[in-house]
Amino acid sequence: MGTVSGVPENLFAYAAQCNSAAEGLRTWVQRALAPALVDYQSGGGHQCSALDAITTSQITSIVAVDQQARLVGQAFQQAGAVTARPGAKQQFLAKELDLDSALRALKEAALRQPQVDAGAALAGTLPGHPDNADWARISKELAKHADDPYYSAGFFNKLNSEQIAHLLGRDVTIKALVNAYGSGSLSKTASDHVVEALRWLQGGDNSPEHFHITAAGQTGLLKALAADPRAAANFTRLLSAQQIRDLFHDLDAALNPSVRPNLLTVLTIGLSRISDPQQARTVLDNVSRALFSEDAPELDTAHLRPLIDAFVRLYQAGVSQSIPPPGTSGFREWAKRFGEQVGEQLGPFLNALSKAAGDPDHSLLKSMLQGGYVNAAFMAFAMLEPEVFVGRVAFNAAVGAVQSWASSWDPIGDYMKKEIEDGKHPDIAKLNDNISQHLQTLMISMMVSRNLVYKTNDKDRGHFTDKKDRVSFTGDTRQDSQLLHDILASPNAYHVGGYDANEKYPPSVRDMFDAFGEPEAKKAVKALGQDYKFE
Amino acid sequence: MGSYNFDAAQILSQQLTQLEWKLKWLAGVRAQQRRALLGDETSDNWSGPKRHAFEQEFQRGQMALEQLAASAQQTKREVDKATAQARLQG
């Protein structure tokens, strides 16, 4: 299965132009040709072939073919990654397998249109000024269809923020809404309305202009979204940077203390489920711009401290998901780009940490230690997941090896404990260094799982690699963990390459770490300001 | 068979000419839009197996439109012939 290309804008335009022309002809056949045939035949004329029916049927087939271009365009947008073409229409590249999968989902959604219409019809029965009886009737009817995600999507797509706010206090409504998110058929506009309704908390703005939801309703929706990764992914994907900022800062922690961690959990689970690196990067950029850019409202230590765990998980998921996998050559370049991207993405967060970490008793670092930071660092395994390349056994083996390795060594934890015991000021640059080491481990695990890592021996050093020297995960956690230990302990004794690698001299694992580490550090230091220096 | 409705026959004849023209026009719109927006089968605008399958379906549709236009022309000739015979008999 290869990579395929598409320009959705062109595909949409083609389908729109051709369908419009075909529909015009269909209408003319029904209004002009069909009556003329009837009049002729009933006026003594001979029986002509049913040209009107044959033409209409043919137009239906042609519309379906041309409509396919629109569906493929949508599938490219969902499954593909945008290429850089300054000044040109956006081109998407997608794995054929991913495109097929997105197309299947879109066709499924098209088949579900009657259910969507039925949900929309229920929403249409809401009067302009509903009373309690109206809300009860609607809730009762919606409850019958709460397990039908398409009915629910059709229903919520027709509601405004005020109407959604009225319904958010009911468990059955939350279930229906989360199912609607999971279907992928909830519109961006409907999601915008949900986000607006989420901000209208009782005791907050007290505006008489709109309804206010309860803290329980707010928490209920966020927890239900977090429990459904597909729904969380769609909720996350539809959020703009401004909405993330509004939600984060408007959700009053005093009125509902659990709301910010719950929101970050939804974003993390959603990000972990987004497989398109470009989309994942957009989400993470939105989070950084919303919460940690220069113009963002500042989060002081007291507010940041309880959220550190949640943020670390979110950034780990985002960084891991947004790195495109390597090809079969050009590994140093790939590691360099990987490093730059990680540095850019971690920078704003590290900067916020450095600003908030100035308290003498290191309470921020203590709170990070208590949060099981290392486990969080290894939650995101998307980079190990490409089963199309490596198969399920290798994936499970890689995950097992990394987990086992992580539980036996905790460089960040060790570092922080030492810093605290010594009474030093926290060094965020060193923290970045340690995060970077974790990501390097993930990078190498991913390459082993793709059969790209070889034991270097004197005979083949500096030359192309021999299959017999290739190292791989076996599925035996202890053995795989040991392999990872060995590679990390002796990075010069292993190299990365393949039979058709373009590079004459395959890079050693040490080369890969260096290629990753320097640009990562530079980008991160840039975000931290001039005062920080890496040793 | 009742008396021949010459007005209805004339209207149908005109509509069949229109139909032939409209079918050819639709085929022309599809061909032009395909060329301008999708390019050839290996174009970045849309490439891959789905494009290949689309091309086959597209060509099938174009041929069907062409055959329908020929049928419209043929039916018009039959209607005109029947009208001429009715005039002779009348």
Side-chain angles (χ1 to χ4, degrees):
Chain A
M1 288 268 176
T3 301
V4 290
S5 161
V7 177
E9 203 180 321
N10 282 0
L11 295 174
F12 296 152
Y14 170 83
Q17 298 284 352
C18 293
N19 283 347
S20 163
E23 291 299 348
L25 176 53
R26 193 207 304 265
T27 304
W28 178 84
V29 167
Q30 286 161 352
R31 289 186 185 164
L33 180 66
L37 278 164
V38 170
D39 289 349
Y40 173 72
Q41 285 165 158
S42 61
H46 70 287
Q47 290 298 308
C48 307
S49 58
L51 260 182
D52 53 341
I54 297 169
T55 305
T56 303
S57 155
Q58 192 54 50
I59 289 172
T60 301
S61 303
I62 282 174
V63 165
V65 170
D66 293 338
Q67 198 69 348
Q68 181 78 359
R70 188 178 64 80
L71 275 182
V72 170
Q74 288 176 313
F76 268 112
Q77 285 181 327
Q78 289 184 11
V82 181
T83 61
R85 299 202 312 176
K89 290 174 184 170
Q90 280 197 325
Q91 179 201 10
F92 284 70
L93 293 177
K95 284 198 198 84
E96 201 186 317
L97 209 67
D98 295 342
L99 190 75
D100 282 348
S101 161
L103 254 183
R104 270 197 302 279
L106 285 165
K107 284 179 179 167
E108 167 84 6
L111 284 176
R112 304 296 189 157
Q113 196 55 44
Q115 291 151 262
V116 173
D117 293 343
L122 176 65
T125 65
L126 260 177
H129 300 286
D131 56 23
N132 285 340
D134 290 317
W135 291 118
R137 173 180 59 79
I138 290 284
S139 295
K140 194 176 166 192
E141 191 57 32
L142 185 62
K144 292 181 195 164
H145 302 274
D147 288 326
D148 180 343
Y150 299 98
Y151 184 99
S152 301
F155 175 76
F156 284 104
N157 282 345
K158 291 288 175 192
L159 298 190
N160 59 33
S161 312
E162 175 77 13
Q163 291 166 325
I164 290 173
H166 268 281
L167 288 165
L168 274 187
R170 300 161 197 254
D171 286 348
V172 67
T173 316
I174 289 176
K175 184 180 174 191
L177 180 55
V178 169
N179 282 337
Y181 267 112
S183 76
S185 295
L186 196 75
S187 68
K188 163 79 177 136
T189 307
S191 189
D192 290 348
H193 291 154
V194 172
V195 170
E196 189 167 29
L198 260 178
R199 293 166 56 197
W200 293 341
L201 186 62
Q202 280 175 11
D205 66 2
N206 289 325
S207 164
E209 298 291 317
H210 56 77
F211 187 80
H212 291 85
I213 66 170
T214 63
Q218 200 181 51
T219 301
L221 176 59
L222 291 173
K223 286 201 162 180
L225 282 168
D228 183 335
R230 280 182 61 188
N234 288 329
F235 175 80
T236 302
R237 205 182 271 127
L238 292 170
L239 279 177
S240 67
Q242 187 60 47
Q243 283 176 319
I244 293 172
R245 184 179 292 183
D246 290 345
L247 272 178
F248 196 84
H249 288 287
D250 282 10
L251 297 184
D252 195 326
L255 293 170
N256 186 5
S258 70
V259 73
R260 282 177 173 171
N262 281 336
L263 174 65
L264 294 178
T265 301
V266 172
L267 293 176
T268 304
I269 289 171
L271 252 175
S272 304
R273 182 77 184 205
I274 293 174
S275 58
D276 174 8
Q278 182 69 37
Q279 276 187 11
R281 188 171 185 178
T282 301
V283 171
L284 201 53
D285 285 349
N286 282 346
V287 171
S288 290
R289 267 191 295 134
L291 305 180
F292 299 121
S293 64
E294 287 302 315
D295 63 335
E298 198 157 325
L299 275 169
D300 58 25
T301 311
H303 285 104
L304 187 56
R305 186 182 303 135
L307 300 172
I308 292 291
D309 290 343
F311 271 122
V312 167
R313 285 172 197 271
L314 174 62
Y315 271 84
Q316 290 293 349
V319 165
S320 298
Q321 296 293 92
S322 59
I323 308 298
T328 51
S329 63
F331 300 115
R332 287 183 183 88
E333 266 306 302
W334 174 80
K336 188 172 165 245
R337 281 200 306 276
F338 179 5
E340 282 173 353
Q341 197 169 322
V342 169
E344 270 176 13
Q345 291 178 334
L346 285 178
F349 174 54
L350 292 170
N351 194 31
L353 282 181
S354 79
K355 280 184 187 163
D359 57 327
D361 65 347
H362 302 292
S363 55
L364 177 71
L365 295 182
K366 281 176 182 164
S367 96
M368 285 187 77
L369 276 176
Q370 285 158 1
Y373 173 79
V374 171
N375 286 339
F378 289 95
M379 274 186 67
F381 290 114
M383 290 173 73
L384 301 171
E385 199 176 8
E387 289 169 46
V388 286
F389 297 110
V390 297
R392 171 55 72 179
V393 171
F395 167 62
N396 287 340
V399 171
V402 175
Q403 282 172 332
S404 172
W405 180 85
S407 64
S408 64
W409 185 48
D410 179 357
I412 295 179
D414 290 348
Y415 160 73
M416 287 182 178
K417 279 175 193 156
K418 189 170 178 305
E419 289 289 294
I420 290 169
E421 280 162 11
D422 291 353
K424 290 179 188 168
H425 283 289
D427 186 340
I428 301 297
K430 277 191 178 172
L431 174 61
N432 174 68
D433 215 14
N434 282 312
I435 291 175
S436 171
Q437 282 176 25
H438 279 73
L439 287 161
Q440 287 172 2
T441 308
L442 196 59
M443 173 173 80
I444 292 305
S445 305
M446 177 181 60
M447 300 196 109
V448 172
S449 76
R450 280 184 162 81
N451 295 321
L452 291 169
V453 178
Y454 296 77
K455 182 98 174 73
T456 308
N457 59 47
D458 288 339
K459 207 179 82 186
D460 67 13
R461 186 181 295 275
H463 297 282
F464 286 107
T465 48
D466 192 334
K467 196 175 174 182
K468 72 175 170 50
D469 296 323
R470 193 166 67 197
V471 297
S472 56
F473 291 130
T474 60
D476 179 320
T477 306
R478 197 186 53 79
Q479 210 174 324
D480 293 338
S481 176
Q482 185 59 48
L483 172 63
L484 206 53
H485 273 282
D486 293 347
I487 297 173
L488 293 165
S490 311
N492 284 319
Y494 294 85
H495 64 272
V496 175
Y499 290 116
D500 54 355
N502 292 332
E503 289 139 343
K504 193 174 176 186
Y505 302 106
S508 67
V509 169
R510 163 61 60 200
D511 291 338
M512 293 292 287
F513 286 166
D514 291 344
F516 168 90
E518 194 187 335
E520 194 276 337
K522 272 187 185 164
K523 292 280 181 184
V525 166
K526 197 175 165 192
L528 289 169
Q530 299 299 318
D531 295 341
Y532 282 92
K533 284 191 175 62
F534 280 80
E535 288 168 7
Chain B
M1 190 165 85
S3 59
Y4 192 80
N5 186 335
F6 287 96
D7 288 344
Q10 190 191 356
I11 289 171
L12 179 59
S13 176
Q14 288 167 352
Q15 302 292 42
L16 288 168
T17 302
Q18 287 259 335
L19 177 62
E20 182 194 350
W21 181 84
K22 283 175 185 286
L23 287 163
K24 287 178 175 170
W25 171 77
L26 177 58
V29 168
R30 292 182 87 218
Q32 195 273 330
Q33 294 295 320
R34 170 175 155 275
R35 200 166 43 245
L37 294 166
L38 307 183
D40 62 33
E41 212 179 309
T42 55
S43 161
D44 283 349
N45 289 323
W46 184 10
S47 65
K50 294 277 171 304
R51 175 65 194 272
H52 181 66
F54 169 83
E55 282 299 312
Q56 290 179 323
E57 291 296 321
F58 175 87
Q59 295 302 348
R60 210 167 283 148
Q62 294 295 83
M63 278 174 60
L65 289 174
E66 211 172 288
Q67 285 165 359
L68 267 176
S71 292
Q73 197 182 45
Q74 172 67 21
T75 307
K76 175 190 156 44
R77 277 200 295 269
E78 288 167 8
V79 170
D80 291 347
K81 191 176 164 189
T83 304
Q85 280 175 347
R87 283 196 203 285
L88 284 175
Q89 286 166 5

